[in-house]
Amino acid sequence: MENSRTEEEIFEEGIQDYLKAFNSGDYQRVASYWTEDAVHQPPMGPEIRGRTALEEFYRQSSEAMSARLSDYSNEYRFAGAVSYTHLTLPTMSTTW
């Protein structure tokens, strides 16, 4: 049976899973979206290297702020085997 889902639908499914994982506190699953040697540059802090460090970063950051992700918008571009996804998360509810 051929998969009839579009690339956009597959990306959307992944984003929904990412948001669900983040909001439920499953930071191991959040970090699983990154490669083992990933490098992330948060807007206000030093770069974070590696999946394990990213998992801990998300755990500490979100627990310190009780953050939950909500509204978002996506932009997808595909060119053969290369894809570009821009995810904007404008709403983050926090409790200090």
Side-chain angles (χ1 to χ4, degrees), residues 1-17 33 76 78:
M1 182 175 163
E2 189 176 318
N3 186 345
S4 61
R5 296 184 306 157
T6 66
E7 291 173 318
E8 288 87 355
E9 290 169 331
I10 293 168
F11 270 80
E12 181 67 25
E13 192 175 283
I15 290 166
Q16 289 299 318
D17 182 67
Y33 279 87
Y76 308 107
F78 303 96

Side-chain angles (χ1 to χ4, degrees), residues 34-46:
W34 299 80
T35 61
E36 287 292 337
D37 61 349
V39 177
H40 175 58
Q41 180 63 59
M44 298 182 296

